[in-house]
Amino acid sequence: MNNGTLAPWAWLEIPAPHQRAFADQGLWDERTIADMAITLADADPGFVALVDGDRAITRAELLADAAALSAALHARGLRPGDVVAFQVPNWAEAAVINLAAAMSGLVVNPIVPIYRDHEVSLMLADCRARAFFVAASFRNYDFAAMAARIAPALPDLAHVFTVRGAGEQDYAALLAEGRGQGFTRPQVDPLGVKMVLYTSGTTGRPKGVLHSHVTLARVLAESGRFWGLKPGEATLMPSPVTHVSGYANGLEAPLVCGTRTVLMESWDAQTALDLIDRHQAVGTVAATPFLVELAAAARASGNRLPSFRYFACGGAAVPADLIPAANAAFENCRAFRVFGASEVPLVSFGWPQDEALAATTDGKIVDYTVRIVDDEDRDLPDGQEGEILARGPGMLMAYADAQQTAEAITADGFFRTGDLGVRSPEGAITITGRKKDLIIRGGENISAKEIEDVLHTHPAVKEASVVAMPHERLGEGVCAYVIAAGDAPTAEALAAHVA
């Protein structure tokens, strides 16, 4: 890193010990995302890789913008290994930032827009981010003001850039600055750290999940083959591109699979119907509530979406009757449950061809070896509940923290998911519960302990306990039980304090 400090993952071997066999067996496409983008742009520069509202971005335009941004960031002092964070919605600029980082050998840190000062500060400090792109404003929240508040306490953070803002520190100004500049693309190790993505932990401290160019590319290539996704086809992306599902299937699939991503800035079922029809989208990967609402909108409008073939859903409880009910609303689409995490994206790929298994299990295990173990790490037979351990070429390199890595990855290279489940003789995985103290609200992990810690800072709270509660749309909501210290605070006052 050019600021003279080591990355927090400087201890990590490349490839990581548990991943060496994947490299030796040739399971990875050992190219960077930038290499893939250049190959595709050379083959068909006019192909539209991204759709963002009324704007269609070709491969050549995406590559040219990324090259300009790379040159501008280099001129601002960023060097290979530096971390560039971005907290922006599903805008095309996110794809350019991601590709520019890959071209420059920078490490990206996508941050979901729901996070505010406290969480964002923790993440930027932990990964020692050198630059931070934020939406100037989104959903009536001033992200630029938030970034200005937290920046003084982050000594590694040299640059804050806005997106869709104004001034010389805005994304548009950087592009203009970089166009026409000479920039020699550095040699980038495809097996090196490409992304650090933070996920909630059971202690409330975020965990930095490290992926390389080859891990997520492996997941995309294999899942695309399994679902029958073909080059040139379009997919819809309503999931946040700063979440692992949206990042991989939204920003990177066009470069790995040669597809087109139709971005949705915010979810609306009727808008999704219109976009699927207009762009003849064939599928999506999104949270369960989106499936429920898309199917309802299809039934209400009489539009059975003939181009749509698959809907991979997860991140929230899926009632068994939801899958057949959704399938009945579409002409050709098959919905199915999938299972994965930021650390092990898509352990299962679903059951597109078997509605019964698609409805009652969380999918077929593909490209991973899975163990179901008891509390003593002894393997359990099929049909018996235990913790799910997974190992495969799409798994994380490590956590940024060596100690967290040692606790999460076994000596033989399996990741401890913290989820409980059973495996069937057909190779299906079904999630039955969690060992982790996490609430999964609409596909986002929320640490119960982190909310408890914040509640305990309120002067009127003596004790607090946070648990999941059923939520009709999001699967799980958040419920706090509070013992007051004196006069009982109102629920509104506590909610405002936590916010």
Side-chain angles (χ1 to χ4, degrees):
M1 296 178 70
N2 74 308
N3 62 346
T5 63
L6 290 174
W9 47 84
W11 57 271
L12 179 63
E13 296 179 42
I14 306 296
H18 65 274
Q19 293 185 317
R20 287 178 191 146
F22 306 138
D24 293 343
Q25 294 168 38
L27 297 181
W28 288 327
D29 181 344
E30 294 191 14
R31 294 181 292 164
T32 70
I33 295 300
D35 295 332
M36 296 178 182
I38 291 168
T39 299
L40 287 170
D42 287 344
D44 189 352
F47 178 81
V48 174
L50 288 167
V51 176
D52 178 4
D54 295 329
R55 185 183 173 203
I57 300 99
T58 66
R59 289 172 177 166
E61 290 169 333
L62 176 62
L63 195 62
D65 283 355
L69 186 58
S70 291
L73 293 176
H74 184 81
R76 298 290 183 106
L78 274 79
R79 296 294 182 266
D82 283 346
V83 176
V84 174
F86 62 93
Q87 189 179 30
V88 297
N90 286 21
W91 295 344
E93 290 90 338
V96 177
I97 294 166
N98 184 57
L99 180 54
M103 294 175 73
S104 300
L106 304 172
V107 177
V108 290
N109 168 217
I111 300 177
V112 181
I114 61 172
Y115 292 134
R116 298 292 182 261
D117 303 47
H118 177 68
E119 298 93 343
V120 174
S121 295
L122 285 175
M123 295 172 188
L124 296 179
D126 190 73
C127 69
R128 301 172 191 165
R130 294 279 291 155
F132 183 28
F133 285 87
V134 290
S137 177
F138 179 61
R139 291 182 177 171
N140 299 317
Y141 185 75
D142 192 334
F143 284 90
M146 178 200 71
R149 285 194 302 271
I150 65 177
L154 297 167
D156 291 307
L157 187 61
H159 305 283
V160 173
F161 303 114
T162 57
V163 179
R164 301 191 182 182
E168 63 180 18
Q169 291 295 100
D170 189 67
Y171 169 91
L174 282 177
L175 281 195
E177 181 183 312
R179 293 201 194 281
Q181 283 194 23
F183 172 66
T184 302
R185 194 160 66 97
Q187 286 292 114
V188 178
D189 184 359
L191 275 59
V193 178
K194 172 189 183 295
M195 176 178 73
V196 53
L197 181 67
Y198 285 91
T199 183
S200 292
T202 56
T203 63
R205 179 192 173 194
K207 295 180 177 180
V209 180
L210 304 179
H211 278 285
S212 67
H213 292 261
V214 298
T215 50
L216 291 183
R218 172 73 182 193
V219 175
L220 288 168
E222 294 303 306
S223 61
R225 275 192 282 269
F226 189 83
W227 298 333
L229 182 62
K230 300 178 181 65
E233 293 185 322
T235 63
L236 182 73
M237 185 39 62
S239 302
V241 295
T242 43
H243 183 280
V244 68
S245 295
Y247 176 87
N249 294 282
L251 302 186
E252 304 236 307
L255 310 180
V256 176
C257 304
T259 51
R260 173 181 302 124
T261 292
V262 180
L263 294 167
M264 288 192 74
E265 179 182 286
S266 58
W267 172 253
D268 175 78
Q270 186 57 53
T271 301
L273 280 179
D274 296 341
L275 288 172
I276 291 167
D277 258 352
R278 188 186 319 160
H279 300 285
Q280 293 295 287
V282 301
T284 192
V285 181
T288 306
F290 294 176
L291 173 61
V292 174
E293 292 165 17
L294 183 65
R299 284 190 290 267
S301 67
N303 183 349
R304 290 174 54 78
L305 298 177
S307 71
F308 218 46
R309 298 198 305 266
Y310 70 88
F311 194 121
C313 66
V318 184
D321 60 352
L322 171 60
I323 297 297
N327 288 345
F330 306 123
E331 185 171 323
N332 298 308
C333 181
R334 288 296 172 261
F336 44 86
R337 290 151 56 174
V338 295
F339 166 64
S342 299
E343 296 90 341
V344 283
L346 286 188
V347 172
S348 70
F349 289 174
W351 287 96
Q353 295 82 28
D354 191 317
E355 187 172 84
L357 286 170
T360 57
T361 76
D362 288 290
K364 181 179 178 63
I365 300 166
V366 181
D367 212 35
Y368 277 84
T369 301
V370 167
R371 295 173 58 202
I372 308 294
V373 301
D374 63 14
D375 289 339
E376 304 299 324
D377 272 1
R378 293 175 297 209
D379 288 287
L380 297 171
D382 288 346
Q384 194 164 331
E385 182 189 70
E387 184 181 4
I388 301 167
L389 275 57
R391 180 181 66 193
M395 72 186 294
L396 78 166
M397 304 170 70
Y399 287 124
D401 182 271
Q403 182 59 39
Q404 290 176 337
T405 303
E407 293 168 356
I409 298 179
T410 65
D412 54 351
F414 281 81
F415 174 72
R416 301 181 186 276
T417 67
D419 292 293
L420 300 174
V422 296
R423 180 177 48 207
S424 74
E426 300 94 342
I429 194 84
T430 303
I431 310 306
T432 57
R434 283 193 301 280
K435 292 181 72 173
K436 294 180 177 179
D437 185 21
L438 288 177
I439 299 165
I440 302 182
R441 180 182 182 274
E444 292 293 342
N445 288 355
I446 298 171
S447 167
K449 184 180 184 301
E450 184 172 0
I451 300 174
E452 290 169 355
D453 289 345
V454 174
L455 283 168
H456 284 137
T457 66
H458 193 287
V461 173
K462 181 181 179 182
E463 293 183 41
S465 180
V466 172
V467 297
M469 64 180 292
H471 191 287
E472 183 177 358
R473 178 173 181 267
L474 300 174
E476 290 184 344
V478 182
C479 178
Y481 292 86
V482 173
I483 297 175
D487 294 336
T490 65
E492 291 78 13
L494 290 177
H497 177 75
V498 173

